[in-house]
Amino acid sequence: MIDLDNVEKIGSGLNRPECVLATSNGRLFTADWRGGVGVTEKDGSQWYLLPNDKTLNLKPNGICLLPDGAVLIAHLGDTVGGVYRIDQDGTTTPFCLEVDGKPLPPSNYVHLDDKGRVWITVSTRKMPRSEGYKPDVKDGFVVLVDSLTDNTKARIVADNLGYTNECLVSPDGSKLYVNETFARKLVSFDIAKNGDLSNKTIEAEFGLGTFPDGMTFDTEGGIWITSIVSNRVIRIAPDGSQAVMIEDCNNEHLEWVEAAFLAGEMGRPHLDNAQSKKLKNISSLAFGGPDLKTGYLGCLLDQSIYSFSSSYTGHAPAHWNFEGPKNTTFKNEIMS
């Protein structure tokens, strides 16, 4: 288990850095609640890429880097969602706003795989979304867009999920892994050549205090899961065994949240009030650094991200060798 004293803060002034991504050039990218993406350069300097159109009022939750330096963001609006593309000059255009002729509800996550397909998750159809914080609500779904160049063919490929959160294609490309936060499960689907999903399989179930949110892979076949509320990082070994790698929670607070969850009474106050020593509701994990042995944690309730050293090597994601957006339009703008 990693000692909290060895978990270090990175950056300041970030705005709800729920999702964090790392690239081989040492850069870090975070969702930014001001409407775009925060960029932390290798030297520690920070800047942000925001839409030129300030009327959009986007609320980025998940983010996804593209090969040309643009970024896709999953918009977690109060009543509407969708995925938008922000180019390096701030030009912002819709990428996917509807599926099956219906507007996308508030959207959680967006993921680009190494075949150029885009996977989008919607946690719940309930409004407000807090109505989906229940163990018996299963109305989340996964959307697939087959190509970055043709976003007109979006379709639902998995439905009836228990608060769909992050999803990732497996390193060998054969499966899609999905976190069901309030069903407290990690599940997988077989991916057909045309992107259809089948054979839903429970890969892991989680106990009291664990609400799986983010995930990533290591090169030894392990799957790393972040849990909101309890600030846990859990590694699931290839044999299915689970090991808590990091934990930072107050037991009384966790018992309060757990009681509300089991009673079907969980709401925003249970998620927006972190009681911990250091970590403020961790939600995302990315491996980076020169040897992919540094873990980076995104936090819902903090203005920083956090890092730790790992004895495991992370699996390089599809965007690992992308450069990411360049600081051209927003020269010398530091986050405030």
Side-chain angles (χ1 to χ4, degrees):
M1 192 166 176
I2 297 165
D3 194 308
L4 278 177
D5 289 341
N6 295 324
V7 177
E8 300 179 352
K9 180 183 290 190
I10 296 177
S12 61
L14 302 174
N15 195 327
R16 195 182 178 273
E18 197 277 349
C19 181
V20 60
L21 305 176
T23 49
S24 61
N25 53 17
R27 308 175 81 201
L28 300 173
F29 306 87
T30 50
D32 193 274
W33 211 232
R34 281 165 286 210
V37 180
V39 184
T40 302
E41 300 289 357
K42 188 176 182 178
D43 64 4
S45 62
Q46 300 173 200
W47 60 281
Y48 52 94
L49 175 63
L50 298 178
N52 292 334
D53 183 353
K54 306 303 181 186
T55 67
L56 286 173
N57 194 29
L58 298 179
K59 298 298 184 185
N61 198 67
I63 60 173
C64 165
L65 302 179
L66 300 183
D68 62 359
V71 183
L72 294 182
I73 65 167
H75 172 43
L76 194 69
D78 291 335
T79 59
V80 297
V83 173
Y84 289 79
R85 172 188 170 112
I86 304 180
D87 286 293
Q88 297 183 80
D89 63 357
T91 301
T92 304
T93 52
F95 176 77
C96 179
L97 300 187
E98 63 177 38
V99 64
D100 296 337
K102 297 179 181 180
L104 279 173
S107 304
N108 187 293
Y109 192 68
V110 56
H111 165 55
L112 177 73
D113 69 18
D114 60 7
K115 290 183 169 58
R117 299 174 298 197
V118 177
W119 306 83
I120 302 164
T121 66
V122 171
S123 299
T124 180
R125 294 174 171 91
K126 298 284 187 183
M127 300 288 177
R129 287 182 301 111
S130 57
E131 292 297 314
Y133 302 171
K134 296 178 173 64
D136 59 345
V137 174
K138 294 180 174 130
D139 64 347
F141 58 93
V142 179
V143 172
L144 175 62
V145 179
D146 291 304
S147 169
L148 284 172
T149 58
D150 183 5
N151 56 7
T152 63
K153 298 178 181 178
R155 66 187 193 277
I156 294 175
V157 288
D159 207 341
N160 305 312
L161 299 171
Y163 209 86
T164 329
N165 220 302
E166 285 198 15
C167 69
L168 285 180
V169 172
S170 61
D172 65 3
S174 67
K175 295 180 181 292
L176 181 76
Y177 285 81
V178 183
N179 272 331
E180 294 185 78
T181 299
F182 295 116
R184 296 214 270 218
K185 296 176 183 176
L186 170 67
V187 299
S188 70
F189 296 88
D190 294 336
I191 305 175
K193 288 184 178 180
N194 67 351
D196 286 349
L197 301 181
S198 63
N199 191 29
K200 180 181 178 181
T201 302
I202 298 174
E203 299 288 347
E205 296 186 84
F206 303 100
L208 300 180
T210 297
F211 302 95
D213 190 328
M215 78 173 91
T216 194
F217 302 104
D218 66 37
T219 56
E220 296 182 26
I223 306 171
W224 294 61
I225 302 290
T226 60
S227 168
I228 54 173
V229 182
S230 56
N231 291 306
R232 288 174 181 152
V233 175
I234 298 170
R235 182 180 185 266
I236 304 169
D239 65 4
S241 61
Q242 299 181 25
V244 176
M245 310 301 287
I246 295 174
E247 181 175 271
D248 183 11
C249 62
N250 175 286
N251 287 334
E252 289 185 4
H253 175 72
L254 199 58
E255 289 172 3
W256 173 66
V257 174
E258 187 68 33
F261 174 69
L262 294 176
E265 299 172 353
M266 180 185 262
R268 290 308 314 178
H270 301 93
L271 300 186
D272 295 342
N273 181 20
Q275 299 290 323
S276 53
K277 295 178 180 178
K278 180 177 289 188
L279 302 172
K280 306 300 182 184
N281 221 352
I282 58 173
S283 51
S284 174
L285 192 158
F287 281 111
D291 54 4
L292 279 161
K293 285 190 173 184
T294 301
Y296 297 99
L297 298 170
C299 292
L300 282 163
L301 302 179
D302 210 319
Q303 295 183 333
S304 303
I305 56 179
Y306 290 82
S307 70
F308 63 91
S309 295
S310 169
S311 59
Y312 293 91
T313 302
H315 172 76
H319 61 258
W320 180 240
N321 290 315
F322 295 177
E323 292 199 8
K326 296 178 181 178
N327 188 0
T328 54
T329 305
F330 305 100
K331 285 288 185 185
N332 300 319
E333 284 199 37
I334 304 301
M335 287 190 181
S336 61

